[in-house]
Amino acid sequence: MVERPTARGEAPATGTTAPRRAGLVLAALIAVAAVANLNLSVANVALPSIGQAFDSSQTALDLVAVGYSLGLAASVLYLGAVGDRHGRKLMLVLGLLLSVPASLLAAYAPSDDVLFAARVLGGVSAGMAYPTTLALITALWSGPRRTRSIALWSAVGGGIAALGPLVAGFLLERAWWGSVFLVTLPLVAVALLMAVLLVPAHVNETSDRVDNLGGVLSVVLVGALILAINFAPVPQQGALAAGFAVVAAAALVAFVVRQRRADVPLYDLHVAGRRIFWVAACAGIIVFGSLMAAAFVSQQYLQNVLGYTTFEAGAAFLPAVVLMVLVAPRSAKLVESRGSRFTLLAGYVFLLAAFVWMLVLWTEDSAYWQIALAYAFIGIGVGLAGTPASHSLTGSVPVQRAGMASGTADLQRDLGGAIMQSVFGALLTAGYGAAVGATIASSSRADEITSSVQGQLTKSFAGAESVAERYPQYASEIVAGARESFLSGADWAYTAGIAAVVVGAVIVLGLFPRHDAELERLADYHQEDAASPSPGSDGSGR
């Protein structure tokens, strides 16, 4: 049955529902999400070029890579709530408009500091538009049609994000590094037109006021946490990292206290305490974080160690793209027939295989089939696990709190990406620096290496290449040492990926209900929400 868009605050009809012109509406929402997904991933393949252009440290490159995720993850809960109250379509349109100056600033940034700021601004623009897409799917569709719509939204979004390296690689062989940040501008024009013409306004929105203090605290919490992780391995920056960690901890305590006391909390802790909700949130952080972190490290590995061109490195990721798109619709069927728990665990098996494969078989002379198979595992794993991670969130909250569910779904994707990219980047930085230091210490020419040269060598792979250009008689030795050191740091990152996936699998295996129990609990949640629809009602954490 097809349902007309409901008025503000009106509960949708029961059963399987969809809006008029459902295919076009979904296409518009996917196009909007595509802007965020593409912007999220285009920087990875450009990192070596950016490092050469600005003589950046590995930490600076880590921040450029994570800046978009940081801005999106920090703002998504607050802006999702603002959309719930003031209009999701309005936020969607404003976010698309803000992405234009953010992209232009990134493309023409005069320094890596300005580039990082532009990436954060772009993330905030995505925080306005991106959560709206899933919130509207939740409000407009129900039943199996909602599951299929989320699967398509997740698959196409993941595929577009994974296509970012290919598009960026193509541009980098023909233009300067900043061109990768302009690629979304034509897509913005198309998505904006579709959104204005096709997306319904005021669908199951709330009239409750927004918890602005809680929103500010959520921004500070996520931003400080991600910055603390990034600065932790940087020499002489321990105090700064500790300061960010203290701010994050204080913001967390204040946020929890505020949410418990607020009449209309930004983040309903009762609903968040529902087991299906919080286990799915944790599971999704690892799933989507694995995708982004693997792309972040591997694109540098392909170029720095294997010598791939930017286009070749981007094209190498295609197995992940293709398999994500192919597997996600089948994931939706698995969720309906076997449940979210089974589907999540099946995805985790492939993600674990990917990181083990990278750790064991990615070396200085790996053949492409070894690269492609790891990417295939990543694509299958995310394709399987992405749908249940998002579906379980949206299915366990009242539709008037769709912004909270979609904000959490976006948060798990972007906070997962930001945290795992930050952790991988920190370990890559620490492992690379330690390996370079050990190589220098064991070198017969250790006495000839000045402190400034040593600092440049340990700074990043791009720094080592710069030293090699200044000392061509030692160039091959320097580059070979840098490659070995990069591999050492990458192995630290892959090991962390294995640990994260194992932890996630244990949580899902032990705490996520089986299919029949999942359906029973979702039915109970819906009955509770119908009886006590206010955002602050007791949602039962069982």
Side-chain angles (χ1 to χ4, degrees), residues 307-330:
Y308 281 33
T309 65
T310 53
F311 181 73
E312 289 170 342
F317 206 72
L318 280 176
V321 179
V322 172
L323 285 166
M324 264 191 288
V325 174
L326 291 178
V327 169
R330 289 154 182 82

Side-chain angles (χ1 to χ4, degrees), residues 452-478:
S452 62
V453 170
Q454 182 170 340
Q456 190 76 357
L457 289 170
T458 57
K459 181 179 179 181
S460 65
F461 190 90
E465 287 186 318
S466 177
V467 172
E469 291 177 0
R470 296 207 310 267
Y471 300 96
Q473 66 274 31
Y474 305 125
S476 60
E477 182 180 346
I478 292 171

Side-chain angles (χ1 to χ4, degrees), residues 251-490:
L252 174 61
V253 173
F255 180 77
V256 171
V257 171
R258 171 63 183 175
Q259 298 317 292
R260 292 192 181 280
R261 294 180 177 178
D263 294 333
V264 184
L266 174 79
Y267 201 75
D268 193 331
L269 297 181
H270 296 294
V271 171
R274 292 172 171 175
R275 184 179 296 183
I276 288 179
F277 187 96
W278 74 261
V279 174
C282 293
I285 286 174
I286 294 172
V287 170
F288 296 114
S290 296
L291 171 66
M292 297 180 194
F296 164 64
V297 174
S298 65
Q299 288 296 307
Q300 296 180 74
Y301 160 72
L302 293 178
Q303 294 181 62
N304 293 341
V305 177
L306 297 187
Y308 281 33
T309 65
T310 53
F311 181 73
E312 289 170 342
F317 206 72
L318 280 176
V321 179
V322 172
L323 285 166
M324 264 191 288
V325 174
L326 291 178
V327 169
R330 289 154 182 82
S331 171
K333 293 180 180 178
L334 272 179
V335 170
E336 296 293 337
S337 63
R338 300 292 299 273
S340 297
R341 179 178 184 268
F342 176 87
T343 313
L344 279 168
L345 290 173
Y348 273 141
V349 169
F350 285 96
L351 292 175
L352 180 62
F355 283 120
V356 170
W357 187 272
M358 292 175 186
L359 178 64
V360 175
L361 293 175
W362 279 17
T363 64
E364 284 190 71
D365 55 358
S366 293
Y368 175 66
W369 70 268
Q370 294 172 306
I371 307 301
L373 192 55
Y375 282 151
F377 288 152
I378 288 285
I380 296 171
V382 175
L384 283 172
T387 298
S390 298
H391 175 267
S392 297
L393 293 174
T394 57
S396 58
V397 301
V399 71
Q400 287 82 9
R401 301 292 287 178
M404 173 184 166
S406 63
T408 304
D410 299 334
L411 188 64
Q412 67 178 0
R413 181 186 299 262
D414 301 302
L415 183 59
I419 289 178
M420 288 191 70
Q421 278 186 240
S422 298
V423 170
F424 275 37
L427 291 171
L428 177 62
T429 299
Y432 174 82
V436 169
T439 300
I440 292 173
S442 62
S443 173
S444 59
R445 300 188 180 91
D447 295 339
E448 302 173 22
I449 301 175
T450 64
S451 58
S452 62
V453 170
Q454 182 170 340
Q456 190 76 357
L457 289 170
T458 57
K459 181 179 179 181
S460 65
F461 190 90
E465 287 186 318
S466 177
V467 172
E469 291 177 0
R470 296 207 310 267
Y471 300 96
Q473 66 274 31
Y474 305 125
S476 60
E477 182 180 346
I478 292 171
V479 172
R483 285 174 176 163
E484 291 179 5
S485 300
F486 187 93
L487 282 172
S488 178

Side-chain angles (χ1 to χ4, degrees), residues 524-534 537:
D524 289 345
Y525 296 157
H526 295 162
Q527 288 179 1
E528 292 166 3
D529 295 334
S532 304
S534 64
S537 62

Side-chain angles (χ1 to χ4, degrees), residues 115-132:
L115 178 55
F116 168 65
R119 293 285 288 167
V120 173
L121 179 62
V124 172
S125 74
M128 299 174 72
Y130 191 65
T132 306

